[in-house]
Short mmCIF file of all heavy atoms in Angstrom, two decimals:
data_model
loop_
_atom_site.label_atom_id
_atom_site.label_comp_id
_atom_site.label_asym_id
_atom_site.label_seq_id
_atom_site.Cartn_x
_atom_site.Cartn_y
_atom_site.Cartn_z
N PHE A 2 3.77 113.05 167.37
CA PHE A 2 4.41 114.35 167.47
C PHE A 2 5.17 114.72 166.15
O PHE A 2 5.69 113.85 165.51
CB PHE A 2 5.47 114.43 168.70
CG PHE A 2 4.78 114.50 169.96
CD1 PHE A 2 4.51 113.26 170.58
CD2 PHE A 2 4.47 115.51 170.55
CE1 PHE A 2 3.88 113.25 171.87
CE2 PHE A 2 3.80 115.67 171.86
CZ PHE A 2 3.54 114.41 172.47
N LEU A 3 5.16 115.95 165.86
CA LEU A 3 5.87 116.50 164.77
C LEU A 3 7.04 117.34 165.48
O LEU A 3 6.80 118.25 166.08
CB LEU A 3 5.07 117.33 163.92
CG LEU A 3 5.85 118.12 162.77
CD1 LEU A 3 6.58 117.03 161.73
CD2 LEU A 3 4.77 118.98 162.02
N VAL A 5 9.97 119.75 165.29
CA VAL A 5 10.59 120.87 164.39
C VAL A 5 11.74 121.48 165.02
O VAL A 5 11.88 121.82 166.11
CB VAL A 5 9.53 122.04 164.21
CG1 VAL A 5 9.93 123.13 163.33
CG2 VAL A 5 8.22 121.49 163.76
N ASN A 14 10.09 136.90 169.03
CA ASN A 14 8.63 136.75 168.66
C ASN A 14 8.44 135.80 167.59
O ASN A 14 7.98 136.16 166.55
CB ASN A 14 8.04 138.18 168.37
CG ASN A 14 8.19 139.05 169.44
OD1 ASN A 14 7.84 138.67 170.67
ND2 ASN A 14 8.60 140.28 169.28
N SER A 15 8.83 134.43 167.75
CA SER A 15 8.64 133.63 166.68
C SER A 15 7.59 132.51 167.01
O SER A 15 7.39 132.18 168.13
CB SER A 15 9.97 132.83 166.40
OG SER A 15 10.55 132.22 167.51
N ASN A 16 6.75 132.14 165.91
CA ASN A 16 5.64 131.30 166.09
C ASN A 16 5.71 130.21 164.97
O ASN A 16 6.12 130.42 163.77
CB ASN A 16 4.42 132.14 166.06
CG ASN A 16 4.22 132.92 167.13
OD1 ASN A 16 4.01 132.54 168.24
ND2 ASN A 16 4.26 134.29 166.99
N LEU A 17 5.13 129.07 165.39
CA LEU A 17 4.83 127.99 164.48
C LEU A 17 3.35 127.92 164.35
O LEU A 17 2.66 127.90 165.28
CB LEU A 17 5.42 126.62 164.87
CG LEU A 17 6.87 126.53 165.01
CD1 LEU A 17 7.27 125.22 165.65
CD2 LEU A 17 7.58 126.51 163.54
N THR A 18 2.76 127.85 163.02
CA THR A 18 1.38 127.80 162.84
C THR A 18 1.22 126.56 161.85
O THR A 18 1.81 126.53 160.81
CB THR A 18 0.85 129.00 162.17
OG1 THR A 18 1.19 130.15 163.06
CG2 THR A 18 -0.59 128.97 162.07
N LEU A 19 0.29 125.65 162.08
CA LEU A 19 -0.11 124.58 161.27
C LEU A 19 -1.47 124.81 160.81
O LEU A 19 -2.39 124.97 161.60
CB LEU A 19 0.02 123.31 162.15
CG LEU A 19 -0.12 122.09 161.24
CD1 LEU A 19 1.18 121.93 160.30
CD2 LEU A 19 -0.16 120.91 162.15
N THR A 26 -6.46 127.43 160.61
CA THR A 26 -5.42 127.18 161.59
C THR A 26 -5.81 126.14 162.62
O THR A 26 -6.87 126.18 163.07
CB THR A 26 -5.06 128.40 162.33
OG1 THR A 26 -4.56 129.52 161.25
CG2 THR A 26 -3.98 128.17 163.40
N VAL A 27 -4.99 125.12 162.60
CA VAL A 27 -5.29 123.84 163.51
C VAL A 27 -4.44 123.87 164.71
O VAL A 27 -4.81 123.25 165.63
CB VAL A 27 -5.29 122.61 162.74
CG1 VAL A 27 -6.29 122.51 161.64
CG2 VAL A 27 -3.93 122.26 162.09
N LEU A 28 -3.30 124.70 164.74
CA LEU A 28 -2.32 124.69 165.78
C LEU A 28 -1.38 125.84 165.63
O LEU A 28 -0.99 126.23 164.59
CB LEU A 28 -1.47 123.41 165.72
CG LEU A 28 -0.62 123.10 166.97
CD1 LEU A 28 -0.61 121.61 167.16
CD2 LEU A 28 0.75 123.69 166.73
N THR A 29 -1.23 126.49 166.85
CA THR A 29 -0.21 127.64 166.93
C THR A 29 0.57 127.44 168.17
O THR A 29 0.04 127.16 169.17
CB THR A 29 -0.96 129.02 166.97
OG1 THR A 29 -1.85 129.10 165.76
CG2 THR A 29 -0.05 130.07 166.97
N LYS A 30 1.94 127.64 167.96
CA LYS A 30 2.75 127.51 169.17
C LYS A 30 3.81 128.57 169.16
O LYS A 30 4.45 128.75 168.09
CB LYS A 30 3.37 126.14 169.15
CG LYS A 30 4.29 125.83 170.39
CD LYS A 30 4.66 124.57 170.53
CE LYS A 30 5.37 124.05 171.84
NZ LYS A 30 5.62 122.77 171.99
N GLN A 31 4.15 129.29 170.27
CA GLN A 31 5.17 130.17 170.28
C GLN A 31 6.51 129.34 170.40
O GLN A 31 6.57 128.39 171.17
CB GLN A 31 5.11 131.05 171.49
CG GLN A 31 6.14 132.11 171.50
CD GLN A 31 5.89 133.04 172.65
OE1 GLN A 31 5.24 132.87 173.72
NE2 GLN A 31 6.66 134.22 172.69
N VAL A 32 7.49 129.74 169.56
CA VAL A 32 8.74 129.02 169.58
C VAL A 32 9.65 129.48 170.86
O VAL A 32 10.03 130.69 171.03
CB VAL A 32 9.55 129.15 168.34
CG1 VAL A 32 10.97 128.55 168.21
CG2 VAL A 32 8.64 128.71 167.30
N LYS A 33 10.02 128.62 171.64
CA LYS A 33 10.81 129.01 172.88
C LYS A 33 12.19 128.16 172.76
O LYS A 33 13.10 128.58 173.55
CB LYS A 33 10.04 128.60 174.11
CG LYS A 33 8.77 129.40 174.29
CD LYS A 33 8.09 128.87 175.60
CE LYS A 33 6.77 129.61 175.77
NZ LYS A 33 5.91 129.24 176.88
N ASN A 34 12.38 127.12 171.97
CA ASN A 34 13.42 126.34 172.04
C ASN A 34 13.88 126.12 170.51
O ASN A 34 13.15 126.27 169.65
CB ASN A 34 13.33 125.05 172.77
CG ASN A 34 12.76 125.07 174.04
OD1 ASN A 34 13.54 125.68 174.80
ND2 ASN A 34 11.67 124.67 174.37
N THR A 36 14.36 123.43 169.22
CA THR A 36 13.55 122.25 168.86
C THR A 36 12.17 122.28 169.56
O THR A 36 12.11 122.31 170.80
CB THR A 36 14.34 120.80 169.21
OG1 THR A 36 15.50 120.83 168.40
CG2 THR A 36 13.45 119.73 168.70
N GLU A 37 11.16 122.03 168.79
CA GLU A 37 9.72 122.07 169.33
C GLU A 37 8.98 120.88 168.92
O GLU A 37 9.24 120.44 167.82
CB GLU A 37 9.01 123.30 168.90
CG GLU A 37 9.53 124.72 169.46
CD GLU A 37 9.22 124.93 170.93
OE1 GLU A 37 8.43 124.12 171.50
OE2 GLU A 37 9.78 125.88 171.37
N ASN A 38 8.31 120.27 169.78
CA ASN A 38 7.43 119.21 169.45
C ASN A 38 5.99 119.61 169.32
O ASN A 38 5.45 120.20 170.36
CB ASN A 38 7.48 118.08 170.54
CG ASN A 38 8.86 117.40 170.51
OD1 ASN A 38 9.40 117.05 169.43
ND2 ASN A 38 9.43 117.34 171.59
N LEU A 39 5.23 119.28 168.19
CA LEU A 39 3.95 119.60 168.04
C LEU A 39 3.02 118.46 168.19
O LEU A 39 3.35 117.46 167.54
CB LEU A 39 3.71 120.23 166.71
CG LEU A 39 4.60 121.54 166.35
CD1 LEU A 39 4.32 122.00 164.91
CD2 LEU A 39 4.31 122.67 167.50
N GLU A 40 2.02 118.50 169.03
CA GLU A 40 1.10 117.35 169.17
C GLU A 40 0.15 117.31 168.10
O GLU A 40 -0.75 118.17 167.85
CB GLU A 40 0.44 117.42 170.45
CG GLU A 40 -0.71 116.50 170.78
CD GLU A 40 -0.32 115.07 170.74
OE1 GLU A 40 0.54 114.67 171.68
OE2 GLU A 40 -0.88 114.30 169.91
N LEU A 51 3.03 123.98 157.49
CA LEU A 51 3.55 124.47 158.65
C LEU A 51 4.34 125.86 158.44
O LEU A 51 5.25 125.84 157.48
CB LEU A 51 4.78 123.42 159.23
CG LEU A 51 5.46 123.86 160.53
CD1 LEU A 51 4.44 123.93 161.77
CD2 LEU A 51 6.51 122.85 160.92
N THR A 52 4.10 126.75 159.02
CA THR A 52 4.60 128.12 158.95
C THR A 52 5.43 128.60 160.11
O THR A 52 4.93 128.53 161.18
CB THR A 52 3.45 129.30 158.64
OG1 THR A 52 2.71 128.85 157.54
CG2 THR A 52 4.21 130.56 158.42
N TYR A 53 6.73 128.93 159.88
CA TYR A 53 7.55 129.51 160.91
C TYR A 53 7.61 131.00 160.54
O TYR A 53 7.93 131.33 159.43
CB TYR A 53 8.91 128.98 160.97
CG TYR A 53 9.89 129.84 161.77
CD1 TYR A 53 9.93 129.59 163.08
CD2 TYR A 53 10.70 130.86 161.15
CE1 TYR A 53 10.75 130.37 163.95
CE2 TYR A 53 11.49 131.63 162.05
CZ TYR A 53 11.55 131.39 163.34
OH TYR A 53 12.36 132.21 164.10
N ALA A 54 7.24 131.81 161.46
CA ALA A 54 7.25 133.38 161.25
C ALA A 54 7.80 133.95 162.45
O ALA A 54 7.61 133.68 163.63
CB ALA A 54 5.84 133.79 160.89
#
Side-chain angles (χ1 to χ4, degrees):
F2 287 92
L3 174 63
V5 179
N14 298 318
S15 54
N16 291 295
L17 292 169
T18 305
L19 192 65
T26 299
V27 295
L28 188 146
T29 301
K30 184 171 186 177
Q31 184 177 14
V32 177
K33 297 179 182 174
N34 303 300
T36 301
E37 293 287 348
N38 291 309
L39 306 177
E40 170 62 56
L51 179 66
T52 303
Y53 168 85

